[in-house]
Amino acid sequence: MAKKTKLGGRSPFREAALGFALGAVGGCILGATEDPVDRILSVMTSAGPMKPLMDEVRTVGALGLGTLIGATALTTAMTSVVAGVFTAAMVASVFVATRSCCGVSYKDSASLWASAGIAGAFGTTLSGATLGVAIEWIVKNYGMVGLLWVLSIFTLIRPPLHFLVKFLLKQDEKACCILGGTTTDWAREREQIQIRELQQRQRVAVQIEQRILNAAASGGGLEHRLPWADERRQREELERKKRENEEAEMEQRTIQDWINTVVIKHVDFLAFSGIPMTVIAMVTSGFGVFGYGGHQSVFLVLLALVGIMGYLLVKSSDFKFWMLVGCMGMLATFVIAMLTLHAGQVVVTTAMKMRVAGHNMSKETVGARMNYQSSLEALNAAFFVAKMCGLGLGATVGGPLVRQAAGEGRVIVGAALVAGGLLAGVEVLAPVLGEGGKAGALMGVVGAAGVSVGAVAALAGRWSSWPGTLGTIAGMVLGALGVGKWHIVNIGLQLPVAYVFAMTNPF
């Protein structure tokens, strides 16, 4: 798949107009996710759903609660996006292997990209909904300790699965042959062309021999020159078919290699990126379980863990994409833990000021308010960070697709339409999904919207003139703010994150 650096061939005014329109599409779908996410967050932070979290603050401590909720939310967002990428890659691989788009360019096939995009978005949303329902059930039935065990086991089994998937990918070529007979088809076509070439050479040799024997009688008229023209046309047709066959085979191998590369990179990402933040959650929650949840040593250990693991990852001689996201996830988990702890301390400070003013509060009241504020802050921060993570990872898919010349309009509009359809589907199925399922599904929808936003960000950098770039950015910002009810702070933070991830090349 050939890469393109700049888009040209249009006037600056047309570039600005087209960029504004496409940017507005990506921005509108991003803004459309704001209100549903805010509504489900309001439901989850009401008294009923908050009670299990408030009870568990006493078990794992404020820091443990923050790191555990943060790591779980980020793991859900990462897993759902990777599940979508796997689903899309599998559909695209099957599509190419069975040669369903025979006769047209693979990279220009609308059916290929539409099938992969719809499958990927559906896989992301379904995975998020499934994980959301599972997490809700675990917390209600087994509390935060049960969630800690499940998160730890899930993190431990992913590296072995990583090696299993890589082994299966090595069998990809054989699987494609069994599935669609692709390699056999190419070999059969080459053999048929070679047989036809040999037959033509034999036929021409016989005709030449007959011409030589009948040269004196033929007189070299037009009726004897016509068969030679027919033979020449047949030979040119065979050469054309042979060339097209070779080009199609090469194009298929190229796109299949790219699909395999994407899958391998995301396998690494899924297997290892969650380890740093899960380690932090395990350590801080362990301190809380053994009765040291509020001790200063927990903060010191947490700070040391973040510093050591961050240093080891950044100093790696072979720095990879999963290490970058692992560092970011670890820092985000650290920030969530600090916000959770700070929320409880604010309650204590307020109680002390009220006591000085003559308004005494019982320890039970102060403790209940501390637990509530800590749980509320942990849930709010984790939800926001998970949304940013899903958006960024979606942008990591959309950006490279545009740079790989998959068609900027196709990616932006297609991803936006699919995300909009999924958003409507989630709203319809909300009673069936429940609170956790809807929250997880919405994280998947945000990831699908991130594909469109990342494609817009990549498009903005590919125009040949500044009006095209500025028009694209303006369309995205205005679309996101207008549809997102002018949530300037939230959207203002999301757009730079989407841009950074869209410009990152994990492949």
Side-chain angles (χ1 to χ4, degrees), residues 113-163:
W113 297 112
S115 302
I118 293 173
F122 181 78
T124 297
T125 307
L126 181 61
S127 174
T130 303
L131 290 172
V133 170
I135 292 169
E136 182 182 20
W137 183 82
I138 292 169
V139 172
K140 285 184 178 180
N141 290 276
Y142 299 100
M144 283 296 164
V145 176
L147 184 62
L148 174 63
W149 277 105
V150 172
L151 181 63
S152 303
I153 294 172
F154 184 60
T155 304
L156 290 175
I157 65 174
R158 283 187 294 178
L161 289 176
H162 154 265
F163 295 107

Side-chain angles (χ1 to χ4, degrees), residues 33 39 153 174 229 302 337 342 375 380 414 430 449 453:
T33 62
R39 288 203 307 268
I153 294 172
K174 295 180 181 179
L302 177 61
H342 177 69
S375 303
N380 279 322
V453 177

Side-chain angles (χ1 to χ4, degrees), residues 236-249:
E236 290 174 351
E237 180 68 16
L238 286 174
E239 291 176 352
R240 183 185 64 80
K241 289 184 177 180
K242 184 178 180 180
R243 183 172 60 255
E244 290 178 352
N245 186 61
E246 291 175 351
E247 290 175 355
E249 183 177 4

Side-chain angles (χ1 to χ4, degrees), residues 5-8 10 14-16 18-20 22 408 456 458-472:
T5 55
K6 291 290 181 182
L7 291 173
R10 299 184 181 92
R14 291 186 63 187
E15 286 187 357
L18 181 59
F20 183 87
L22 292 175
E408 52 280 344
V456 171
L459 174 65
R462 296 183 66 234
W463 291 117
S464 59
S465 64
W466 276 106
T469 299
L470 296 177
T472 305

Side-chain angles (χ1 to χ4, degrees), residues 145-221:
V145 176
L147 184 62
L148 174 63
W149 277 105
V150 172
L151 181 63
S152 303
I153 294 172
F154 184 60
T155 304
L156 290 175
I157 65 174
R158 283 187 294 178
L161 289 176
H162 154 265
F163 295 107
L164 176 62
V165 172
K166 281 197 170 182
F167 172 77
L168 294 177
L169 285 176
K170 292 180 181 178
Q171 313 301 320
D172 181 70
E173 185 174 353
K174 295 180 181 179
C176 286
C177 293
I178 296 172
L179 179 65
T182 306
T183 305
T184 306
D185 289 342
W186 294 125
R188 186 182 300 113
E189 287 192 14
R190 285 195 300 268
E191 184 179 355
Q192 290 176 353
I193 292 174
Q194 291 172 359
I195 291 173
R196 292 175 62 184
E197 286 180 337
L198 180 60
Q199 290 174 346
Q200 188 191 34
R201 291 194 190 99
Q202 292 174 347
R203 186 169 61 251
V204 171
V206 172
Q207 290 177 358
I208 291 174
E209 184 178 358
Q210 291 176 348
R211 298 293 178 99
I212 293 174
L213 295 175
N214 300 324
S218 66

Side-chain angles (χ1 to χ4, degrees), residues 200 203-204 207 211 218 220-235:
Q200 188 191 34
R203 186 169 61 251
V204 171
Q207 290 177 358
R211 298 293 178 99
S218 66
L222 178 62
E223 66 277 7
H224 297 288
R225 291 196 297 269
L226 289 176
W228 292 108
D230 292 338
E231 294 294 344
R232 184 173 64 254
R233 282 194 296 270
Q234 292 180 17
R235 184 174 63 254

Side-chain angles (χ1 to χ4, degrees), residues 44-89:
M44 296 185 68
T45 52
S46 57
M50 285 284 289
K51 190 177 184 306
L53 298 183
M54 293 170 59
D55 295 338
E56 293 299 319
V57 176
R58 303 183 185 91
T59 304
V60 296
L63 284 174
L65 180 69
T67 55
L68 192 53
I69 292 181
T72 303
L74 286 170
T75 300
T76 301
M78 293 177 182
T79 305
S80 62
V81 172
V82 173
V85 172
F86 284 176
T87 307

